Amino acid sequence: EMAAALAAEMTDVEIVSDPDPDGTLRSPWRTYRKALETIPAWATHRLVIQDDVTLSSDFDSVVRKAVAARPERLLVFFVGGHPVEHARRVFQACTRDESWAELDHMRWCPVIANVWPVEFVEPFLAYVDRQKWPPAFRADDEIVGRWLRETKQWPLASVPSLVEHEDVVVSLIGRRNQGGRDRARVAACMIHPACDPDTIDWEIGPV
């Protein structure tokens, strides 16, 4: 239901479902990988966005402008308050009035809403296939982060974030919020509702 509601707010959307929904092991990575494996042949970029988010206004057009400004980088449109290294980079960019923050502390990468240049996808998946990780290792954010750290492909995070992560009670992998909001699930610097995202100059900040 959440995926369908989100898709109704966007254009050119494909809902990607878990290829093994009845599997013994729940796996965010399994579905994230499928989203990357099913990129249309004509595409230059792939936006992978989780279903439990709230979009900023004019999200489609704003993201297209952002991608046009930084077409050769992996882009991150949500950064939470944790890890603090990521949040700090966003805050520092904000004080400089920059529209991008480079995330180069890759314990893991936020994967709530990412845009991938298609030329990154094949080497990324090939890297994953070469690893000897146990089946229980299914953290999509850490898997992406390990490849970025290995290849030094530091992503750019939008300043501010253009999506907010909904604070659902139970996540796919069974994590529960035990009172209060989980800092990692809340945007460190979310665009204000009164701000017009079309006014953001995506040319300002790291290239």
Side-chain angles (χ1 to χ4, degrees):
E1 293 81 5
M2 296 176 73
L6 183 64
E9 299 182 45
M10 305 171 66
T11 59
D12 301 324
V13 177
E14 174 190 1
I15 296 178
V16 177
S17 301
D18 186 347
D20 186 18
D22 299 320
T24 304
L25 189 67
R26 292 185 174 183
S27 173
W29 165 245
R30 188 165 58 218
T31 309
Y32 198 95
R33 176 167 188 150
K34 183 180 178 182
L36 294 177
E37 290 176 333
T38 55
I39 299 175
W42 50 264
T44 61
H45 295 78
R46 180 68 146 180
L47 167 66
V48 181
I49 187 167
Q50 293 185 7
D51 56 9
D52 57 342
V53 301
T54 300
L55 306 177
S56 61
S57 61
D58 298 323
F59 179 79
D60 277 8
S61 64
V62 173
V63 166
R64 291 176 189 275
K65 292 176 183 177
V67 172
R70 298 292 186 270
E72 298 178 354
R73 302 293 292 268
L74 191 149
L75 304 180
V76 175
F77 292 104
F78 171 90
V79 172
H82 180 81
V84 294
E85 296 93 338
H86 291 173
R88 185 181 300 118
R89 285 302 179 100
V90 169
F91 294 142
Q92 290 170 343
C94 185
T95 62
R96 296 190 296 265
D97 291 327
E98 295 180 345
S99 301
W100 298 107
E102 189 170 64
L103 306 181
D104 59 359
H105 294 278
M106 285 291 108
R107 283 185 287 166
W108 50 271
C109 178
V111 294
I112 307 303
N114 301 140
V115 168
W116 287 76
V118 294
E119 62 266 24
F120 283 15
V121 173
E122 184 175 347
F124 168 55
L125 295 180
Y127 161 82
V128 174
D129 290 339
R130 291 194 300 269
Q131 309 311 306
K132 297 181 179 180
W133 295 325
F137 182 44
R138 61 198 192 278
D140 49 357
D141 48 11
E142 187 173 349
I143 289 172
V144 173
R146 288 191 180 197
W147 177 74
L148 292 169
R149 183 172 64 245
E150 179 79 16
T151 59
K152 294 182 170 57
Q153 298 278 0
W154 309 131
L156 293 178
S158 66
V159 181
S161 291
L162 298 181
V163 307
E164 182 60 282
H165 201 185
E166 289 294 328
D167 200 28
V168 295
V169 175
V170 183
S171 72
L172 171 67
I173 58 174
R175 183 181 295 119
R176 286 180 177 271
N177 185 356
Q178 300 294 334
R181 298 202 69 180
D182 183 344
R183 184 173 63 173
R185 293 182 59 86
V186 180
C189 180
M190 179 61 186
I191 189 168
H192 192 276
C195 176
D196 181 359
D198 281 317
T199 64
I200 298 174
D201 185 349
W202 296 110
E203 297 294 343
I204 302 176
V207 176

